[in-house]
Amino acid sequence: VTDENKERFLSLLQKHWLKRRSSATSMVKKGMGDVLGNEGAAALLELYSADELISLLRGAEVPATDVMKSLCTYDGYDPLEDDTITILWAVVGKFTDDERAALWHFVTGASRVGPPRRLGSYGYDSRRICVAHGGGPERYPRAATCFSTLYLPEYASESVMRERLLGAFGMSVGYDLV
């Protein structure tokens, strides 16, 4: 392989691996061809690896703490000044994968973090979540999934924040319950 033929080599290698997974690949390619047209499907399959396509189409199962934090806006809290927000991210940073997934589901109603989607002409990322002031420490957190908003009361300690968040997840009822 040389610099002159490396792109051709990689393209042929990718086609080889796709052919090895013939039945699954052909079903995916046919479905994508039905939706995107055969040229669009072929172009998409050449751009992404299998893992990248899965992540792009299904989304991530468990959002990383830094991803959640980067997608967060605030209403009634100053993230640089309010201890409640500092405590929130400390608690979320110590959550297990299952607990972070439960928090995401509690706030958004979605089981996965999808790829970024731009809504409208303003470029708004549909994965945005909002942490809004939710009252005093005697209350449990609430969520408005249609607006991806967590109404978070002011808690003074990590232990209380953790206990109240996990309690709220356990008490929540969603569309997925039948």
Side-chain angles (χ1 to χ4, degrees):
V1 177
T2 65
D3 279 341
E4 291 81 32
N5 67 7
K6 69 182 174 185
E7 287 185 30
R8 178 165 162 65
F9 170 78
L10 290 174
S11 177
L12 290 171
L13 182 64
Q14 191 172 33
K15 287 178 184 177
H16 166 76
W17 283 110
L18 287 174
K19 285 180 184 176
R20 285 189 62 165
R21 299 178 184 178
S22 62
S23 65
T25 302
S26 64
M27 287 187 280
V28 169
K29 192 172 181 179
K30 181 186 177 330
M32 292 174 73
D34 290 347
V35 174
L36 302 172
N38 288 330
E39 288 180 16
L44 196 59
L45 288 173
E46 287 182 17
L47 287 175
Y48 297 102
S49 71
D51 289 339
E52 290 170 330
L53 269 176
I54 289 169
S55 179
L56 183 65
L57 297 172
R58 288 184 13 189
E61 288 185 36
V62 179
T65 302
D66 60 334
V67 169
M68 291 178 77
K69 195 172 182 178
S70 72
L71 294 171
C72 196
T73 60
Y74 302 91
D75 183 10
Y77 282 118
D78 181 339
L80 301 176
E81 299 289 327
D82 288 308
D83 291 340
T84 299
I85 300 304
T86 303
I87 292 169
L88 169 68
W89 294 119
V91 168
V92 173
K94 295 175 185 171
F95 272 177
T96 65
D97 286 351
D98 288 343
E99 290 167 340
R100 271 196 326 282
L103 173 60
W104 186 263
H105 187 261
F106 181 72
V107 175
T108 67
S111 59
R112 295 176 178 271
V113 182
R117 293 187 314 266
R118 304 294 175 203
L119 300 178
S121 59
Y122 299 105
Y124 177 77
D125 187 338
S126 63
R127 303 173 306 163
R128 284 260 174 234
I129 56 175
C130 178
V131 175
H133 195 279
E138 70 284 351
R139 302 184 71 151
Y140 273 85
R142 297 171 290 126
T145 57
C146 51
F147 298 109
S148 296
T149 300
L150 172 66
Y151 294 97
L152 186 67
E154 294 180 27
Y155 299 123
S157 73
E158 287 185 28
S159 61
V160 172
M161 172 88 67
R162 178 179 173 77
E163 179 263 324
R164 292 295 173 100
L165 281 169
L166 294 176
F169 305 162
M171 291 185 273
S172 69
V173 179
Y175 297 113
D176 55 341
L177 297 178
V178 181

